[in-house]
Amino acid sequence: MPGRLRHTNEILVLLGDNTFAERSASQAAGIAGRRAIYLDEKIAASERELSCLERRHERAHGLHLQAEERAGENLVDIREPYESEEEEAPASAAAQVVHAAQAALAAQPQPPHLGLVGSAAGSAAVSVSKAEVVAEEEAPQRPPSKFKAARMRAREGS
């Protein structure tokens, strides 16, 4: 049985991500040409980057060789004796500065309602005089918000 060719001008073209499109022969040639130009540009950029990396490698290798040549020269390590007394002196000076700052803060007068009274156990309690409490109670107060007023009414009703 003799065969026949049908649709000889139609070609399936891969668009990407396993997607194909049916194009004419001239359209398929245009797509292939654009892809070739794109790939040529990528190859040229890769070759430029490769040559740049090769030059950097050559410079680094040259520096390594120079360092090996100089290694044979008379090199001397710099050594300094370690003395712990020198390190302790600045630490004690810093401690003196901290203690002086704490003493200055303690010497500053504090308002009576914020003054702290230390106990023998080291805990602190706020010292407030009775006159200050009365003065705060007599001070004008803002009216409560709607939410707070509703809560207060609910508590009074229960």
Side-chain angles (χ1 to χ4, degrees):
M1 174 150 116
R4 288 197 228 171
L5 294 176
R6 295 184 345 180
H7 305 285
T8 57
N9 196 30
E10 295 174 357
I11 300 172
L12 280 179
V13 177
L14 175 66
L15 299 177
D17 197 28
N18 208 16
T19 304
F20 294 87
E22 201 170 279
R23 296 287 174 213
S24 67
S26 62
Q27 290 173 332
I31 292 171
R34 286 190 297 275
R35 288 182 181 170
I37 291 170
Y38 172 77
L39 292 175
D40 287 340
E41 291 171 357
K42 285 287 200 183
I43 290 170
S46 297
E47 287 174 349
R48 285 191 304 269
E49 186 175 352
L50 179 63
S51 67
C52 179
L53 290 173
E54 286 174 347
R55 285 192 307 268
R56 288 178 68 185
H57 178 264
E58 289 171 5
R59 277 189 242 140
H61 185 67
L63 290 174
H64 176 70
L65 292 177
Q66 288 176 358
E68 284 181 349
E69 289 173 3
R70 281 189 261 157
E73 298 174 7
N74 294 331
L75 299 178
V76 179
D77 287 336
I78 299 174
R79 296 178 186 232
E80 294 181 11
Y82 174 74
E83 297 176 13
S84 64
E85 296 170 3
E86 292 177 2
E87 289 184 2
E88 291 176 9
S92 63
Q96 290 174 358
V97 170
V98 170
H99 290 300
Q102 288 174 344
L105 286 174
Q108 290 179 349
Q110 294 182 354
H113 65 282
L114 296 178
L116 297 178
V117 177
S119 67
S123 63
V126 177
S127 131
V128 179
S129 68
K130 189 172 183 177
E132 292 170 353
V133 173
V134 172
E136 287 179 5
E137 290 175 359
E138 293 173 0
Q141 296 181 354
R142 291 188 342 209
S145 66
K146 291 180 183 178
F147 180 72
K148 193 172 184 180
R151 275 196 337 215
M152 290 169 51
R153 282 194 301 271
R155 286 185 190 155
E156 291 172 4
S158 345

